[in-house]
Amino acid sequence: MSEPKPDQPGAEASNLLAERREKLDRLRTAGIDPFPHDFPDREEIASVLAEHQRLEAGTETDSVHRVAGRVVARRGHGKAAFIDLRGPSGQIQLHAKADVLGEDAFSLLDDLDLGDILGVEGRVVVTRRGQLSIEVSSWQILAKSLRPPPDKFHGLEDTETRYRRRELDLIANQESREIFRVRARTVSSIRRWLDDHDFFEVETPVLQPLYGGALARPFTTHHHTLDRELYLRIATELYLKRCVVGGIDRVYELGKDFRNEGISPKHNPEFTMLEWYEAYADYAKTASDLESLVSEVATDVLGRPRIERDGKEIDLAPPWRRVTLRDAILDCTGIDIEKETGRESLAAAMEVELEETVGWGKLVDTLFSKRVEPTLIEPTFVLDYPVELSPFAKAHREKEGVVERWEAFIGGVEIANSFTELNDPDEQRRRFEQQAGELDRGDEETQPYDETFIEALEQGMPPTGGVGLGIDRLVMMLTGTHSLREVVLFPAMRD
């Protein structure tokens, strides 16, 4: 039977939808519930295949199994039909015969459509051609599909449709299903690593009275009962550090952050972040932990601490390369940010037009992200950032004007960020006040003044190292993909 693509227009598509509803009516007329409540005692298709993988062609067994899945292909031969059934763990062939099922049951089964979800029971046999199959002795429709499947299950390639209708992408593309399996295993592995290292998982507010912890524009909403503006969090940092103040020496949160910024292959308005904080540690300790975590997670998920990206093998095993921000920019561009310390002179060296709302720190960030970041293919820590870019990081213990901060890069993409956290409340207050000047100039991505956080620091926070790891970007690296939309199930899209 020919099946249209899901977006097939016009009368032909309408006729095909009508045909499926007619078949739905025939099932009900025959006394068959096309949407039953359950299918108990189902086995995974993969386990059935594994149990009988050594059988020779032409073998018949008395081993009876119950499996369920979606009909993805059919081949009919008179009073016999071969049906390919796909479940989450694999695909198996069904062999249905009229003399086994009876004429009525066989006719109804033969009338099903591609995409229908079916439960069957029967014994395992191997055809003369060596195809392991289930000889159907009984079957049950579990969900009638009222719309045709994408491209006859041979792959859905239209990118827009794949992102907007992820369910069709998952139905059609094994590669997409595998990406999200890798993602799930990655998150589980990260949690195990942190739990095994005695970190304490917490949940902090997503709706916050004041946003903070990053340089980003927030989403704003209004709570009617409280009659106040609230913000979707842009980071978990400030609340987690308040936990450290409270005596939770190793703390982490793994969840969604939201930033009202542009959409690109590396940016989505909502994204999954891991942040962890460890008391009595600094950015050298967090760098060592991050490279160990990524290497061990890759080994756990992929079987080895190496990935393939653009035809190049990248080794994730420690130690990773370390280079200062100043040297990385100087090596790639010839611009020395230690000499170009003014907005005007740096903009001139970059040969860009200076906008009124753009400060010196934002220029440095633009220079680095545009011209240096894409070159950082091997795992690299870029160290020691200007204080203007890092309002929560502790001043460098040896270098003037910079803070103890690193960003980690793999495959030309930033995956993580870390500070030796600022724990001097008076210095934090001074930096908040300095940031207020950026807000006054119209920079909507600047950190606002947060007196509650200052008061928490005044209680006393021990020396602390903190890390933010982008889960979506890490999964991009582990799966060899090049866009967050490939690893986020339902990404934000334009109308």
Side-chain angles (χ1 to χ4, degrees), residues 425-437:
D426 293 334
E427 174 61 14
Q428 183 65 80
R429 180 179 285 108
R430 187 189 68 80
R431 294 197 198 173
F432 275 159
E433 291 169 349
Q434 186 179 39
Q435 291 284 308

Side-chain angles (χ1 to χ4, degrees), residues 124-141:
V124 166
V125 299
V126 183
T127 66
R128 290 193 298 271
R129 295 185 177 182
Q131 180 69 52
L132 191 148
S133 308
I134 290 180
E135 184 181 86
V136 181
S137 57
S138 65
W139 65 272
Q140 183 180 2
I141 183 74

Side-chain angles (χ1 to χ4, degrees), residues 373-384:
E373 183 174 330
T375 71
L376 302 175
I377 305 303
E378 295 295 329
T380 302
F381 290 109
V382 177
L383 310 165
D384 303 341

